[in-house]
Amino acid sequence: MSRVNVMLPYLGEEEVEAVAEVLRSGWVAQGPRVAEFERLFAASMQAEHAVAVSSCTTGLHLAMVVVGVGAGDEVVVPSFSFIATTNAVRYVGATPVFADVDVTTGNLTPETVEAELTDRTKAVVVVDQGGVPVDLDAIRAVCDPRGIAVIEDAACGAGSTYRGRPVGAGAEIAAWSFHPRKILTTGEGGMITTSRQDWADRAHKLREHAMSVSAADRHASVLAPPETYDEVGYNFRMTDLQAAVGIVQLGRLPEVVARRRELAATYTKFLAEVPGLRTVIDPAWGESNFQSFWVEVGDAYPLDREGLLERLAHADISARRGIMSTHRQPPYVGVAAPGSLPVTEHLTDSTLILPLFHQMDETQQGRVVDVLVEAARA
Ligand SMILES: *Cc1c(COP(=O)(O)O)cnc(C)c1O
């Protein structure tokens, strides 16, 4: 019996060939492939503008900068997210304020957001946690009239839909991840999409040291024009090697999402009758890509979450604890009032993420289901 991983990237010969072609071209840093990937990604996600960056974390950082978040500002974020969501707030010297999430979706709601708004709130970061689309319109309805920017952390969201459109399409600004744990990968990499030309222009410059002329443009001319550096910028660039992989991966996305949804439906079907287990589902307003297929282990189940993880590990199945609670990590201890995030803590403590990847076959999925069902009978 071989190990069943929680996730495997889905990469093929096309990606290998795309990288080889970039290597042969001699232009390996940010250049034409990055520009092409941006065009294709924006079109695919129904976004006006796309800015490729080195990761979702740097994308969130840049989003904070172009939105104008800084010292003295508060930013409402879910604690129930990968820590980078909150770290981005600290990078610009602002203060994170944690809001609780909905127990069914694992996402912020208009109610949990509204409860945390103050005169100092500059922005709210909403997350499509594990690929489950957040109810963006409802949260924007609370924030837009107050002039509060909503930044969508769509790190897990590629291929998920919200009200019939790709997630992120309805956001003023969104950040995406292409880490291998996500379903479209470039090794490392990220993207910002935005409806605002001014934010896109500034992000394009800031990711490249705020240089007035891009390195690709300078290279294209024999006599390079003089450049200026209009503010303190960053090196958050993606390489053409990564973008070439991203272009191929983007083409695979519909097939990958269809397969993930098929596997998720199989889990849902076989686990529906197991007392004490509750699986993640599509919300009323959209469809998940099931980037993370999580299960809540309730009191009616004979094992607790840790016990079930051990049982799975014993069968050589690598599941994972659910999404973290950022407010429990050292940099953020004391930020949330004790007891103020009950749903976040409950989900962090009681959920686990089951293996789900494109290449997963029936036998592998059957092994996972068998462990869950048999442990329930014991
Ligand atoms: C993975 C993830 C990130 C970080 O993405 P990187 O590309 O690794 O920087 C940020 N936010 C969420 C919600 C994530 O899941």
Side-chain angles (χ1 to χ4, degrees), residues 10-25:
Y10 179 51
L11 297 159
E13 283 308 308
E14 275 182 78
E15 283 86 345
V16 173
E17 188 46 44
V19 171
E21 217 176 283
V22 172
L23 287 171
R24 283 187 210 108
S25 80

Side-chain angles (χ1 to χ4, degrees), residues 56-57 60 64 75-90 96 98 125-127 129 151 153 155 326 332:
C56 182
T57 303
L60 288 167
M64 293 290 159
V75 179
V76 175
V77 292
S79 169
F80 189 68
S81 185
F82 184 59
I83 196 166
T85 307
T86 303
N87 285 345
V89 177
R90 284 270 176 91
F98 292 123
V125 184
V126 296
V127 178
Q129 193 50 257
I151 299 166
D153 180 345
T326 299
Y332 300 106

Side-chain angles (χ1 to χ4, degrees), residues 29 168 297 364 370 374:
V297 186
Q364 290 171 317
D370 285 350
E374 273 161 31

Side-chain angles (χ1 to χ4, degrees), residues 299-310:
D299 292 338
Y301 199 77
L303 299 174
D304 64 7
R305 192 267 307 271
E306 297 300 313
L308 184 51
L309 276 170
E310 270 171 41

Side-chain angles (χ1 to χ4, degrees), residues 304-370:
D304 64 7
R305 192 267 307 271
E306 297 300 313
L308 184 51
L309 276 170
E310 270 171 41
R311 190 66 63 88
L312 286 160
H314 190 70
D316 214 6
I317 294 164
S318 185
R320 287 284 180 276
R321 285 178 193 87
I323 309 301
M324 64 188 293
S325 286
T326 299
H327 70 280
R328 287 174 171 170
Q329 296 304 314
Y332 300 106
V333 165
V335 169
S340 64
L341 300 166
V343 180
T344 295
E345 295 190 351
H346 169 76
L347 288 175
T348 293
D349 292 338
S350 65
T351 58
L352 58 82
I353 295 166
L354 295 180
L356 205 170
F357 48 92
H358 187 81
Q359 307 91 318
M360 189 177 210
D361 62 27
E362 243 175 70
T363 313
Q364 290 171 317
Q365 193 174 26
R367 275 172 56 196
V368 180
V369 170
D370 285 350

Side-chain angles (χ1 to χ4, degrees), residues 279-302:
T279 58
V280 61
I281 53 166
D282 284 329
W285 48 77
E287 291 192 342
S288 178
N289 59 14
F290 292 107
Q291 184 265 342
S292 287
F293 190 88
W294 57 260
V295 178
E296 180 191 41
V297 186
D299 292 338
Y301 199 77

